[in-house]
Amino acid sequence: MRELVVLGTASQVPTRRRNHNGYLLRWDGDGLLFDPGEGTQRQMLFAGVSASGITRIGLTHFHGDHCLGLPGVLARLNLDQVTHPVDICFPGSGAELLTHLRGVVPEFPGLREHPIDADGPVPLPDAPFTFEAVRLSHRIDTFGYRLVEPDSYRILPERLAEFGLAGPMVGMLQREGAVRLPDGRTVTVDEVSVPRPGQRFAFVMDTRMCSGIAELAEGADMLVIESTFLEAEAQLADDFGHLTAGQAARVAAAAGVRTLVLTHFSQRYGDLAGHRAEAQRYFDGELVIAEDLMRVPLPPRR
């Protein structure tokens, strides 16, 4: 299963309909929790997802609406006696803040810290994907994240049949990349398969426009991105280190994003019809205006 579970969509101030941030990416056997704001543990109960399913945590920065739910999540991991390790990625400049957040709840011994100080891959043990961090432009150190699955291939049964390949010979072909037939011919994987591009997921929170956004969004199957304001408040967005719905949509369109998920809405907007209309002016792919407890499946493989 590959889907995004939206736990909260508010920005600085929650509303009656929007909890503080929280996003759980369910990726096969992994559960990646991004920016758990206040109330995330309770939102997970409403969404029907278990803390025991979390394997990685990504903090973009240490503003309260993106991290104050972390102690509750860690306490729940401890209470549920989760035995597997959980990796946490975070800006290295906030290491002391992370220590304080961890210190107010019982220790979860399986937490493995990965402080980030520069752009590039984050070495996560046993991850079946590459996890990359890219610096953004906010009022404090902030990083966006990208998950990249390696490209692979899909075996075509009809091509196997044409060559008379079956049973153990198919396994040998997949392991070694080629197999010799009884008649002396050699068949390669390329002759019986088609490429299957790996999927990409990008996560962008609090930032004004910068080159890092486009880098993260490039070729993403799903981009989850803040759109705190509308274009009418573009100067205010820039002053406070945020994006408008129009800016987010223009970046997504230029980067070839397939599914665009807008979130992190200012409390000034009770109705988000303006965000949808503004984004649709620039982006013609699948557009999702995130709502709390919504589930958004990753689009089918290309």
Side-chain angles (χ1 to χ4, degrees):
M1 177 180 294
R2 295 184 179 182
E3 67 174 2
L4 176 73
V5 182
V6 180
L7 302 172
T9 58
S11 55
Q12 185 179 29
V13 177
T15 71
R16 293 180 182 273
R17 293 170 42 219
R18 301 181 204 137
N19 195 70
H20 270 149
N21 289 282
Y23 310 87
L24 179 67
L25 176 64
R26 303 177 74 187
W27 184 281
D28 301 338
D30 271 284
L32 296 92
L33 178 64
F34 293 96
D35 281 8
E38 185 179 347
T40 292
Q41 183 183 182
R42 188 164 184 260
Q43 292 294 95
M44 290 178 67
L45 291 174
F46 286 138
V49 292
S50 170
S52 63
I54 297 172
T55 58
R56 332 271 180 183
I57 299 172
L59 302 181
T60 59
H61 63 296
F62 282 96
H63 278 159
D65 54 325
H66 296 260
C67 69
L68 285 181
L70 179 63
V73 171
L74 296 180
R76 188 56 185 264
L77 291 171
N78 180 74
L79 180 65
D80 291 352
Q81 299 181 5
V82 170
T83 58
H84 63 257
V86 175
D87 297 295
I88 182 166
C89 307
F90 59 95
S93 60
E96 185 177 355
L97 293 172
L98 179 61
T99 299
H100 291 314
L101 289 170
R102 294 185 63 175
V104 297
V105 294
E107 178 70 12
F108 171 63
L111 197 65
R112 301 186 297 202
E113 296 185 5
H114 301 275
I116 300 167
D117 298 306
D119 294 4
V122 182
L124 299 181
D126 306 319
F129 44 73
T130 300
F131 193 70
E132 302 171 346
V134 176
R135 188 180 297 275
L136 299 173
S137 176
H138 194 42
R139 290 171 287 163
I140 62 173
D141 275 357
T142 301
F143 287 88
Y145 296 112
R146 179 170 63 177
L147 185 157
V148 180
E149 180 184 33
D151 294 340
S152 61
Y153 58 85
R154 180 169 61 88
I155 295 289
L156 301 174
E158 61 271 21
R159 292 293 289 162
L160 293 176
E162 288 177 22
F163 287 103
L165 288 169
M169 294 187 72
V170 177
M172 183 182 300
L173 176 66
Q174 292 177 303
R175 289 192 304 273
E176 301 181 9
V179 67
R180 185 179 295 276
L181 300 178
D183 63 9
R185 290 181 298 161
T186 297
V187 179
T188 66
V189 167
D190 291 342
E191 294 178 272
V192 297
S193 67
V194 292
R196 184 173 68 173
Q199 290 191 304
R200 295 186 172 207
F201 170 87
F203 185 79
V204 175
M205 283 294 129
D206 297 17
T207 181
R208 58 179 59 85
M209 285 296 291
C210 65
S211 60
I213 305 172
E215 182 178 347
L216 288 162
E218 184 62 33
D221 293 281
M222 178 182 287
L223 169 63
V224 179
I225 186 169
E226 70 123 308
S227 54
T228 309
F229 296 101
L230 292 176
E231 296 274 71
E233 286 81 36
Q235 186 57 57
L236 183 64
D238 187 73
D239 290 344
F240 285 91
H242 287 292
L243 296 174
T244 68
Q247 288 172 332
R250 287 195 293 271
V251 169
V257 169
R258 299 175 66 198
T259 298
L260 172 62
V261 181
L262 298 185
T263 186
H264 195 275
F265 307 113
S266 169
Q267 70 274 15
R268 70 182 60 204
Y269 304 110
D271 185 343
L272 299 176
H275 286 70
R276 179 178 296 279
E278 191 166 282
Q280 287 177 331
R281 288 203 292 268
Y282 308 103
F283 182 76
D284 60 4
E286 181 182 1
L287 173 64
V288 177
I289 306 300
E291 298 178 4
D292 286 25
L293 309 183
M294 172 185 283
R295 292 173 182 253
V296 187
L298 263 73
R301 293 179 181 276
R302 298 178 188 269

